[in-house]
Amino acid sequence: MPETVNDYLLRAGRLADGGLRLVDRAEQATWMGWGEVRERALAVAGGLRELGVGRGERVALVFPTGGEFFAGFFGALLLGAVPVPLYPPVRLGRLREYVVRTTRMLSVSGACIVLADARVRRFLGEAVAAARPRYGCRALADLPAAAPAEPVRPRPDDLALVQFSSGTTVAPKAVALSHRAVAAQTETLSGLWPDRPGLRHSCASWLPLYHDMGLIGCVFPALLRDATLTLLPPELFVARPALWLRAIGRWGATISPAPNFGYSLCLTRVADADMEGVDLSCWRAALNGAEPVAPAVLRAFAARFARWGLSPAALKPVYGLSEAALGVTFSDLEQPCHSRWYAREALAREGVARRQAPGAERESGGAAGAGVAGNAARANRAAGAVGAAGRAGSAAELGREIVSVGRPLPGFRLSIRDPHGRELPPCRVGRLWVSGPSLMEGYLGDPEGTARALRDGWLDTGDLGFLDDGELYLTGRAKDLIIVRGRNHSPAEVEQAVDALPGVRTGCSVAVSWLPEGAAGEVLALFVERSRHATADELAALPDACREAVLAATGLAVDRLLVLAPGTLPRTSSGKLQRSETLRLYLAGGLEPPAPVTALRLAQAMARSGMAYARWRFARREEGLP
């Protein structure tokens, strides 16, 4: 019988360096070997069993990165239950929104209990009272005392976890993943980096454990290999991104993934002094996925950190999604990644990917003078030709640079299709469908959504792109597409054009278009969050600077530009910006900054939560329930 995640945990712990290294804000590390993880998980499984939780029932988990998450997650698995990782309240100025989202996820998942960090639990009362899980919400310490459970050996087709999708364009969906799918993905990823004499791979990550890139992409391969995984809390990375790079160098991590935003944040928030004594030469796979990959960020990151030993060849754009249990395509691990230029007008009007200069193909690694990283000079010369006059024409002539996200992983197939489901030839833009060994079972409780997404063993990703020489190039999300004067444009390209401007908050811009009632044509709007450290002069120049940057990069004129306070733009649980929700709130007059976080507001939120818990307990007593 094929192995499951439970098998990985029961076998792990035989090697001295196999386990979790949990790093705090003082850069102090706490070690937890896989054997300890297993023992703590069996204790939690015993408590859940004593409470009455049965095989196949869903167990919601709301924990920050730390040992309790793993005890709860693997405790549910070893009992034969199904863990449902949910995100803790990280945006305290948006607690009302958090309650609404969490209520929905608890209801959709059908969780019978919520296990939560003791501090987080104080904010969950309203969601728990509304969703009414049978065994309520408990901290691990509040589970009944019981002997450790005997570990359950699940079948490959049993559910391993319920993973909520990011929800960038729709409400987050409950993605049901079987042990078979998770094991297939884990073993594929692990097989990409075989150990050899003198080289034992390890991973460092700050990614959230409640999303696939952090959990399936980092935790499960380390568990399978009985290897080391170094973890930092995501909120610590956002506050001090240098700690990620310092952790990679200090503990010699060879693999570390992040979305494009993470690499971009390092460019603006890491000082030379932060890197003193850091050696990044160990970093062999700097995976870049989960959101559009910006070639300018690849170049800048490679150049910025080369002096600390980073090889440009380490940068690896990848593509995946939660419905495929994570990875679908990877850049060649033995070669530098590369980008190509395509005629902008052909892409926008005809959906045809026609290569053009400058840089018909440029790599992003290797020796100086080669690659997206090494050939930056050629791109700069081309961009420099764009003057104040004629920028729209120059941008069209310059074309659009798109990074390859590689070829399908073993066992996966790609198909680019038109709106009627017919397969398109290479270099034609269409909807991306994927087939492979780790596709989801479906969306929990949503048979109609499952039927739309899964057809005859193929998954409709909702992403747009094309194939060129067998490699995948993404052009955007179907539901996020910007349509201006009958031409299709990627919002990411517009947003990335302003990302490096003084006064802009890195990775915090949203571009949308719509046709107002009675208007002659579509309106292009750009919402830009200002940096917390922006000067008065930078803010005064920002609107014109943004318009000029977008025009120079894309040939598009921005009709409406709004500079917003930090934290105003709506985000998913994984931190991705929500374009359609931004537009909805803007048109409804509800695009407002988060409420200030004060001691009084937090006290009020905890009081509302406490009252909700009290009402829930009273209602249960009235119904004769324990």
Side-chain angles (χ1 to χ4, degrees):
M1 187 169 71
E3 286 198 313
T4 66
V5 179
N6 292 35
D7 294 316
Y8 301 161
L9 181 61
L10 293 174
R11 186 177 61 243
R14 299 175 184 175
L15 301 180
D17 64 343
L20 301 167
R21 180 184 290 116
L22 305 170
V23 182
D24 64 19
R25 63 181 59 253
E27 297 186 83
Q28 298 300 305
T30 301
W31 178 256
M32 185 184 299
W34 290 121
E36 182 183 348
V37 172
R38 180 174 58 249
E39 295 310 309
R40 292 181 63 176
L42 287 170
V44 170
L48 290 172
R49 180 201 58 203
E50 187 72 15
L51 198 61
V53 176
R55 184 167 181 164
E57 292 195 285
R58 267 84 74 184
V59 176
L61 306 164
V62 192
F63 292 96
T65 296
E68 284 197 325
F69 172 87
F70 293 98
F73 183 89
F74 288 117
L77 277 179
L78 292 179
L79 183 65
V82 182
V84 185
L86 303 179
Y87 71 107
V90 292
R91 304 182 80 191
L92 295 179
R94 301 285 193 190
L95 281 174
R96 288 288 192 185
E97 296 172 20
Y98 175 79
V99 168
V100 172
R101 288 187 185 183
T102 304
T103 300
R104 179 187 175 277
M105 289 190 282
L106 290 176
S107 300
V108 169
S109 69
C112 69
I113 187 173
V114 181
L115 296 180
D117 173 85
R119 293 163 299 175
V120 171
R121 184 181 178 277
R122 292 183 289 178
F123 295 99
L124 296 177
E126 292 172 284
V128 170
R132 303 189 69 182
R134 186 163 69 255
Y135 301 113
C137 179
R138 296 175 182 242
L140 296 188
D142 297 330
L143 289 173
E150 284 295 317
V152 168
R153 300 261 182 175
R155 297 178 296 271
D157 290 334
D158 289 343
L159 288 189
L161 73 149
V162 173
Q163 169 80 64
F164 277 89
S165 63
S166 292
T168 52
T169 57
V170 295
K173 296 181 178 180
V175 177
L177 296 172
S178 69
H179 278 276
R180 186 188 306 277
V182 170
Q185 177 71 205
T186 301
E187 290 166 21
T188 295
L189 294 176
S190 181
L192 297 175
W193 294 285
D195 292 337
R196 60 176 186 265
L199 176 62
R200 178 153 159 77
H201 286 287
S202 68
C203 180
S205 172
W206 55 267
L207 299 171
L209 298 175
Y210 46 84
H211 274 285
D212 50 8
M213 203 169 177
L215 181 61
I216 301 174
C218 298
V219 176
F220 292 168
L223 181 61
L224 170 63
R225 302 162 72 100
D226 204 355
T228 301
L229 174 60
T230 300
L231 291 174
L232 296 84
E235 63 273 14
L236 181 56
F237 164 76
V238 172
R240 300 174 61 192
L243 297 192
W244 174 41
L245 305 181
R246 291 166 64 90
I248 292 171
R250 179 178 177 185
W251 285 290
T254 58
I255 305 160
S256 191
N260 191 79
F261 134 80
Y263 294 96
S264 184
L265 193 65
C266 288
L267 293 173
T268 58
R269 298 275 301 282
V270 176
D272 286 359
D274 296 327
M275 298 296 292
E276 184 177 352
V278 175
D279 180 4
L280 297 178
S281 61
C282 58
W283 198 2
R284 294 169 178 259
L287 307 178
N288 186 332
E291 59 187 33
V293 179
V297 170
L298 288 177
R299 281 193 286 272
F301 191 86
R304 172 81 169 81
F305 296 103
R307 62 188 284 197
W308 290 283
L310 175 67
S311 168
L315 299 170
K316 301 297 178 190
V318 297
Y319 168 73
L321 66 166
S322 55
E323 287 87 343
L326 187 58
V328 174
T329 69
F330 264 56
S331 298
D332 190 328
L333 296 178
E334 302 301 323
Q335 300 293 329
C337 66
H338 59 269
S339 61
R340 286 175 175 158
W341 290 84
Y342 295 91
R344 185 180 301 277
E345 185 70 7
L347 279 172
R349 183 182 287 276
E350 306 166 39
V352 174
R354 186 176 301 130
R355 294 190 205 176
Q356 75 165 52
E361 180 171 356
R362 299 206 320 270
E363 296 177 344
S364 88
V372 171
N375 279 345
R378 180 160 53 179
N380 289 339
R381 285 195 299 271
V386 180
R391 280 185 172 148
S394 297
E397 293 167 9
L398 181 62
R400 179 178 172 191
E401 185 183 10
I402 308 177
V403 175
S404 166
V405 291
R407 299 178 186 274
L409 289 170
F412 279 88
R413 292 184 292 161
L414 309 180
S415 176
I416 305 296
R417 303 182 184 181
D418 69 13
H420 304 290
R422 295 177 297 225
E423 191 160 32
L424 294 170
C427 294
R428 289 294 302 272
V429 177
R431 205 171 178 105
L432 173 63
W433 292 69
V434 304
S435 175
S438 62
L439 297 189
M440 66 175 180
E441 298 299 299
Y443 296 121
L444 201 64
D446 185 5
E448 293 84 5
T450 299
R452 287 192 297 270
L454 289 174
R455 300 181 194 174
D456 302 320
W458 287 86
L459 169 70
D460 179 2
T461 68
D463 289 309
L464 299 176
F466 59 89
L467 297 173
D468 191 351
D469 281 347
E471 298 183 6
L472 178 62
Y473 294 79
L474 296 172
T475 59
R477 290 282 296 170
K479 292 185 177 180
D480 279 341
L481 207 60
I482 288 177
I483 303 174
V484 178
R485 293 184 293 279
R487 296 171 176 83
N488 297 332
H489 302 272
S490 165
E493 194 183 16
V494 176
E495 294 154 4
Q496 290 165 4
V498 303
D499 219 22
L501 293 177
V504 172
R505 192 180 183 207
T506 302
C508 298
S509 301
V510 160
V512 296
S513 69
W514 78 98
L515 182 63
E517 186 176 355
E522 299 89 348
V523 168
L524 172 60
L526 179 61
F527 302 89
V528 179
E529 287 189 5
R530 58 175 170 79
S531 166
R532 299 182 189 276
H533 309 292
T535 66
D537 288 343
E538 288 172 344
L539 290 178
L542 198 52
D544 288 343
C546 287
R547 286 190 167 90
E548 289 194 10
V550 171
L551 188 63
T554 69
L556 293 172
V558 175
D559 299 299
R560 301 186 191 181
L561 190 140
L562 280 81
V563 177
L564 307 171
T568 300
L569 293 172
R571 292 181 177 271
T572 69
S573 61
S574 61
K576 295 179 182 178
L577 293 166
Q578 296 176 295
R579 298 184 180 98
S580 58
E581 180 66 4
T582 298
L583 178 59
R584 187 192 71 79
L585 289 172
Y586 169 67
L587 295 178
L591 192 60
E592 300 290 343
V597 179
T598 64
L600 176 60
R601 288 184 185 276
L602 291 178
Q604 290 172 334
M606 286 189 284
R608 289 194 301 269
S609 176
M611 292 175 64
Y613 277 129
R615 290 194 299 270
W616 176 79
R617 288 191 292 267
F618 177 78
R620 288 180 63 83
R621 285 197 297 271
E622 289 290 300
E623 296 170 7
L625 298 173

